[in-house]
Amino acid sequence: MPSIFLSHTSIDKPFVEKLARDLKRIGVNVWFDKWEIRIGESITWKIEEGIRENEYLGLVLSPEALNSEWVKSEIGAAWVKQMQLKKVFVLPIYYRDCDIPLFLADRKFADFRIDYENGFNELASIFGIEETEAITQDNWRKFSNSRKVNWKEFRIREFETLVTTLVDRAIEYNWSSWVGGTANEFSITLSARTDNERKSISIKLIPKTNAYMATYKDAYNPNHLKTSDFDKYVGNSVNACDEFVWREMEEFQNKYGLPIDEAKQFTHRFSRGNESVETAIELAVQVRNKFNWYKGDKLL
């Protein structure tokens, strides 16, 4: 199994942590300081150990990284190891525009500056991991035209995350939620009512574009809506949908107060036909877990 030490400066840590998690998902052992160095341990010794024991050193390139004394010392140690091994050890990871060090100027690098997914696939290929193996929860849309990988499973996981996120948000603001059935799959409606106002927000993952679209058309159940009703672009991520919904709920509460009705959450789905149940106990467990889009802990 390939392994990599990720050399970076602290300002780039959010990007590096995401990269580390994605690399672990495709089977790469990752040395990431946040995971490896515990309170009381020698930072210098742990870093030396990490550089010595890993197959590669991934150098995350940014202006701040190249001015970091820690990164400079890690580059120095890595360069010595590369000379001893007489093979490529340092892997340039181009994160943000900066002056490339001379000793890396003629090296091919994984370019993350414009497109994270392209950069990730370039890096994965160095470990002998094919593009189809590099699919993650964040990049499945890129594979939606491929027959080599089961991207639809990642779409399902994302929608489970979306439902869990939006239902938790609905509970916070006392809104009701209803997830669409097979007639309007990958859709959810959030609704609320006060003495003077009612509002519905429905979001659907549109199959042709794999983008999330929304509508304010009055409904409590998305199965009553048509795909053509969804006419407002929201984005291509759970975070985009969550931010969109949060703003709408916050604005509604500021104008009209909390909804007066008791919120109800309908998040179960139907079996897809090939998902059988055998016993009453198994049925109960599956209804709660397998046949439920919601995967959080706020619903009994």
Side-chain angles (χ1 to χ4, degrees), residues 137 141 154-172 175-181 184-190 201-205 212 222 237-243 245 249 264-270 272 287-299:
Q137 189 68 56
R141 286 171 175 79
F154 289 86
R155 180 178 62 180
I156 289 172
R157 293 181 196 174
E158 180 179 283
F159 190 68
E160 288 176 343
T161 302
L162 177 77
V163 170
T164 303
T165 300
L166 296 189
V167 169
D168 283 349
R169 185 70 71 186
I171 292 171
E172 178 184 352
W175 284 50
S176 294
S177 63
W178 196 307
V179 179
N184 209 351
E185 199 169 23
F186 301 117
S187 64
I188 181 171
T189 293
L190 307 159
I201 306 168
S202 299
I203 291 178
K204 179 179 175 67
L205 180 61
Y212 289 105
S237 70
V238 172
N239 286 342
C241 294
D242 185 33
E243 182 176 351
V245 166
M249 289 182 173
K264 297 180 180 179
Q265 317 301 331
F266 297 90
T267 60
H268 288 85
R269 65 172 178 82
F270 296 107
R272 292 189 174 86
V287 165
R288 183 177 178 181
N289 299 309
K290 189 173 184 179
F291 294 155
N292 196 336
W293 287 111
Y294 181 80
K295 301 301 180 182
D297 57 8
K298 293 186 178 181
L299 295 179

Side-chain angles (χ1 to χ4, degrees), residues 11 27 46 50 76 98 123 135 165 173 183 194 199 202 222-223 231 249 251 261 270 285 296 299:
I11 196 172
K46 290 293 292 184
C98 59
L123 186 59
I135 186 171
T165 300
Y173 283 84
T194 66
K199 183 159 189 171
S202 299
N223 294 315
D231 55 1
M249 289 182 173
E251 181 181 2
D261 295 333
F270 296 107
V285 173
L299 295 179

Side-chain angles (χ1 to χ4, degrees), residues 3-7 51 54-59 74-75 78 89-92:
S3 62
I4 186 171
F5 176 104
L6 292 176
S7 175
I51 293 174
N54 282 275
E55 186 177 358
Y56 297 100
L57 181 140
L59 177 58
E74 291 166 3
I75 293 175
F89 171 64
V90 179
L91 302 180

Side-chain angles (χ1 to χ4, degrees), residues 119-144:
F120 184 74
N121 286 326
E122 288 174 350
L123 186 59
S125 68
I126 294 173
F127 305 121
I129 298 171
E130 295 182 1
E131 183 180 23
T132 54
E133 297 178 89
I135 186 171
T136 70
Q137 189 68 56
D138 298 321
N139 72 359
W140 63 266
R141 286 171 175 79
K142 182 176 179 179
F143 298 85
S144 59

